[in-house]
Amino acid sequence: MDKFYITTAIDYVNGAPHIGHAYEKILTDIIARHFSQRTDNMFFLTGTDEHGIKIQKTAASKGIQPKELCDENAQKFKDAWKALDINYNKFIRTTDDYHENAVQKIFKKLVEQGDIYKHSYEGLYCTGCECFLNPKDLTEDGLCPDHLKKPEVVKEENYFFKLTKYKDAIIKHIKENPDFIVPSFRANEVLNQLEDIQDISVSRAKSNVQWGIDVLDDNEQSIYVWIDALSNYITALGYDTESVSEDFKKYWPADVQVIGKDILKFHSIYWPAFLLALDLPLPKHILAHGWITIDETKMSKSLGNVISPTSVLETFELKEPDAFRYYMATSAPCGRDGNYSDDDFKEKVNAHLANSMGNLLNRTLSMLVKYFDGVVQPKNLSLVDGAVELTKKALGTVKIVENHFNHFEVAEAAQEIIGIVDMTNKFVTDNAPWTLAKEDKMDECAQVLTTVLEVMCIISALIYPYCPNIAQSMAKQLSFDLSIKLDDLTADNIKEGKLISKEEITPVFLRVDSELADKSAKK
Ligand code: MSP
């Protein structure tokens, strides 16, 4: 693998981030960190979508200028991603000058080549979706099915993009590339939508929407949000129709574009059509994740159940985001809906991260100190039944995990990692090193401990994308270099000799809600 370019949807800045936005950024960050264990050329893009009527109206209701609202909220997104250790390479704001200029040029090029034309139009506009709706998609009461609001009747002269011209090419692409849309069960849904697509409006009258990028040479129209927003994936790399940057040459096409299922149509129909019109290659995969509910209820301002990502860290007094990242990432199989609940969160992270994984390392290192003064003995794993098999199984898990990530199955990969943790715990119970020590079988006892430490090195590398802080704490205590590429991993990581002293052993994750965790958070 020579490079990996991954993007998220860019979030609307009419409000602060919630855990739905966070779910997507966490998934993306985990995929990015995993692939950075496989290539040195990683580029991870995220950002904010700042134009459109929704933002214009929210700013007006607060009595402030739209840009002021954007600045305030874009910062909240950046702060939240920092708290969650989202390690992006670039944060694009659609109000950035370079982006606005490039979008104007893209629009102009499409007008000049006849892909965009002017047309009078009457349609039903949903501000929540920032798009025109097809009357047949409304609820029985004539409401937008996603926002349950009556769309506005809009009669305007707009610019239209010839989406119909690209319909057959997109259908062909989806059919010939069954892994273009991930998960593949969503492809049929898209093919059905493609059946009755029309040309789409790509501008709004400035008399109605002032907060948008101006169409060059037409001071009565502003560029409509989706062509503006979708272009971010290439403008961020320096694309602008006239010049092609080094980053664009290096990273485009994207390897995967991560988005929610609600905006799949825009990414698997509109976006490919714009790219085809610009004569650019299509992204390799579009990953449409599911929806996160709170206590099995859709999050909404009116229900008052919107949870901010950082509030979860505050509620449980977590200094690091690892547990929240792990929980969110494993909340649903690839592409399916997931749920957040406080009780489930506590139970899952305590069971997986504290009891199974953290304790395993902690008690193994404690035994190494107790029985061998922290010194790893000369290696001879074959002295213990199942030891060599366990290390082989751990290395085999690396391949299984890589394969899940090739299909962006983040939760499924985590299950494999916890599976090997459970197997290692069973290996310790079966071989009872404390009994071996009591019986003075010190050679066997030493090999049990070394086996576990070897496997823990592999586990720390595998869990790193999900829980970077926990993984670093594990690796530090194992004197293991986490910067290793996954393909270079062996079962020969632990060196003979002094590894650790009693004072250097620290729990990698404290149980949520335990007295110890409370004390540590207060410190
Ligand atoms: N601005 C557009 C995207 C433009 S991409 C060129 C947008 N913004 S959004 O703020 O409404 O949503 C941003 C992302 O968050 C989308 O991928 C959306 O699916 C995701 N989510 C918003 N709420 C969500 C949940 N409750 N659960 C999971 N993801 C959710 O759409």
Side-chain angles (χ1 to χ4, degrees), residues 404-465:
H404 277 305
F405 272 96
N406 291 344
H407 300 96
F408 313 111
E409 292 162 349
V410 175
E412 292 82 344
Q415 216 172 338
E416 292 293 334
I417 304 169
I418 288 301
I420 199 77
V421 170
D422 289 344
M423 252 178 248
T424 314
N425 269 310
K426 183 168 181 307
F427 172 80
V428 174
T429 312
D430 288 351
N431 287 288
W434 47 89
T435 309
L436 293 170
K438 231 187 249 162
E439 292 169 355
D440 211 22
K441 295 182 178 158
M442 297 318 279
D443 286 348
E444 286 88 340
C445 175
Q447 298 310 317
V448 172
L449 301 184
T450 305
T451 307
V452 177
L453 297 175
E454 283 295 359
V455 174
M456 289 313 284
C457 290
I458 299 172
I459 290 171
S460 71
L462 292 178
I463 205 72
Y464 161 79

Side-chain angles (χ1 to χ4, degrees), residues 30-31 34-35 401-408 410 413 466:
I30 292 172
I31 298 171
H34 170 86
F35 281 99
V401 165
E402 282 185 352
N403 194 39
H404 277 305
F405 272 96
N406 291 344
H407 300 96
F408 313 111
V410 175
Y466 302 79

Side-chain angles (χ1 to χ4, degrees), residues 9-12 18 20-21 24 49 233 260 262-263 289 291-292:
I10 49 172
D11 303 308
Y12 288 130
H18 56 59
H21 300 122
E24 177 175 287
D49 188 358
Y233 303 129
D262 55 318
I263 54 172
H289 61 74
W291 213 242
I292 293 291

Side-chain angles (χ1 to χ4, degrees), residues 364-374 434 437 442 449 505:
T364 308
L365 289 174
S366 300
M367 284 189 273
L368 187 74
V369 166
K370 184 170 171 193
Y371 304 135
F372 301 99
D373 197 24
W434 47 89
M442 297 318 279
L449 301 184
I505 301 179

Side-chain angles (χ1 to χ4, degrees), residues 8-14 18-25 48-50 54 77 94 128-130 147 225-226 228-233 258-264 266-267 289-294 298-299 328 337-338:
T8 69
I10 49 172
D11 303 308
Y12 288 130
V13 282
N14 55 315
H18 56 59
I19 67 170
H21 300 122
Y23 172 60
E24 177 175 287
K25 301 338 177 239
T48 41
D49 188 358
E50 307 195 354
K54 188 159 32 191
F77 279 87
T94 54
C129 299
E130 288 286 14
H147 296 92
V225 288
W226 279 99
D228 163 6
L230 289 162
S231 302
N232 92 86
Y233 303 129
V258 185
I259 51 147
K261 62 180 184 181
D262 55 318
I263 54 172
L264 179 59
F266 301 104
H267 285 79
H289 61 74
W291 213 242
I292 293 291
T293 51
I294 308 278
K298 190 169 173 179
M299 243 185 303
M328 292 309 277
D337 293 343

